[in-house]
Amino acid sequence: MSIYSEVKKLALLKPVVAYTGGLMASGGYYIAVGAQKIVASPLAEVGSIGVIYVHYDLEKNYEMNGIKVNVFKTGEHKDMGLSGGI
């Protein structure tokens, strides 16, 4: 059974509310839609499953502040959202 299925079953017995104060995307969002209501902090980032990808290019900001980014990856495309094609 998936967590989503368990949330749906619980929702048949009692009210279920999903809450996020930070990030709720992909799997977290999928689980939350099993609840009767989703409550999110005004500062929370909530996204649907595979519909949009937001990428902030902070490369110049990092450079101005002397921040060096090192990427360690285990797959060829795991850094595809990073600027500069590291």
Side-chain angles (χ1 to χ4, degrees), residues 43-79:
L43 298 177
E45 297 181 72
V46 179
S48 58
I49 302 165
V51 175
I52 187 170
Y53 169 72
V54 177
H55 172 72
Y56 299 101
D57 184 351
L58 299 173
E59 187 174 359
K60 290 201 185 333
N61 180 281
Y62 292 157
E63 190 178 303
M64 287 184 342
N65 290 291
I67 299 169
K68 184 170 178 8
V69 177
N70 293 311
V71 176
F72 300 92
K73 61 183 184 171
T74 58
E76 180 182 356
H77 300 291
K78 287 192 174 188
D79 63 346

